[in-house]
Amino acid sequence: MNSHGQYEQQVVWAVVGTSIGPLLLAATRDGLVNVVFHATDAVRDRTLDRLASRLGGEPVEAPDSPLLAEPIRQMTAYFAGERRDFELPLDWSLISGFNRQVLRELASGVPYGAVVGYGDLAGRVGQPGAAQAVGVAMGSNPLPVVVPCHRVVERDGGIGGFGGGLETKRKLLALEGVLPEPLF
């Protein structure tokens, strides 16, 4: 326990280079807890401050940690085109309620190479008409790529928004064969 009487969750992290730029991966003993795009020094520092605030304790850089070994291996294989599904324990403690429900459905029900509309995903969790709320859930996804919010698109065929930026979403969808590779 810390001085405030809260249980501290040890968080280990590492930055991994990928074809979409550096990703920060953070894990607890319960599983992968956070994936963060564009892990520059400033983004990393904000993320680590947020993780310390939310989970207690000071996150520790530990790229060789057993807690990160499998997430790093699977992420590397995914970006090399050698893996389609992530089989990792996930720590869902950074998200709750409707957002968690939507993200769990997305993780289990929208496979590699497929897309789903915001409204369709809302219907899958019993909330037809909650397409905007699904968009909010996608924007608060603490585990992008692994929980594939890039696979959620607009009903009319538009790509929709994306917390990692539209170019990153396009690259992920191209990697999965949903969109053609960019010409340049």
Side-chain angles (χ1 to χ4, degrees):
M1 270 196 221
N2 65 17
S3 61
H4 301 290
Q6 298 172 313
Y7 285 97
E8 292 184 357
Q9 177 80 286
Q10 182 192 14
V11 179
V12 294
W13 65 274
V15 174
V16 177
T18 72
S19 60
I20 59 167
L23 295 178
L24 184 145
L25 305 181
T28 68
R29 68 180 173 274
D30 294 330
L32 189 65
V33 72
N34 208 193
V35 176
V36 180
F37 293 113
H38 315 298
T40 61
D41 290 347
V43 169
R44 181 200 64 215
D45 292 347
R46 282 193 306 273
T47 298
L48 297 176
D49 287 346
R50 185 178 48 79
L51 288 170
S53 170
R54 296 280 307 274
L55 300 175
E58 203 56 44
V60 176
E61 184 174 16
D64 296 327
S65 169
L67 299 175
L68 289 170
E70 194 59 18
I72 290 171
R73 188 186 75 69
Q74 289 189 29
M75 193 68 70
T76 301
Y78 171 81
F79 282 103
E82 300 164 356
R83 174 173 275 287
R84 292 175 165 234
D85 301 304
F86 291 95
E87 297 170 11
L88 297 168
L90 300 178
D91 178 339
W92 292 94
S93 62
L94 294 177
I95 195 135
S96 61
F98 176 79
N99 292 354
R100 183 187 289 192
Q101 181 184 10
V102 168
L103 291 171
R104 283 180 176 269
E105 173 59 30
L106 174 63
S108 66
V110 183
Y112 183 98
V115 294
V116 65
Y118 292 92
D120 294 334
L121 191 53
R124 289 185 187 193
V125 297
Q127 299 291 327
Q132 286 184 322
V134 166
V136 170
M138 295 307 104
S140 63
N141 181 4
L143 295 161
V145 182
V146 176
V147 177
C149 52
H150 60 277
R151 296 180 189 155
V152 183
V153 297
E154 294 175 347
R155 180 179 40 153
D156 66 3
I159 195 168
F162 194 62
L166 292 182
E167 187 57 29
T168 299
K169 186 171 187 173
R170 282 187 192 96
K171 287 180 180 179
L172 289 168
L173 291 172
L175 174 71
E176 294 188 7
V178 175
L179 293 176
E181 290 286 341
L183 294 175
F184 43 86

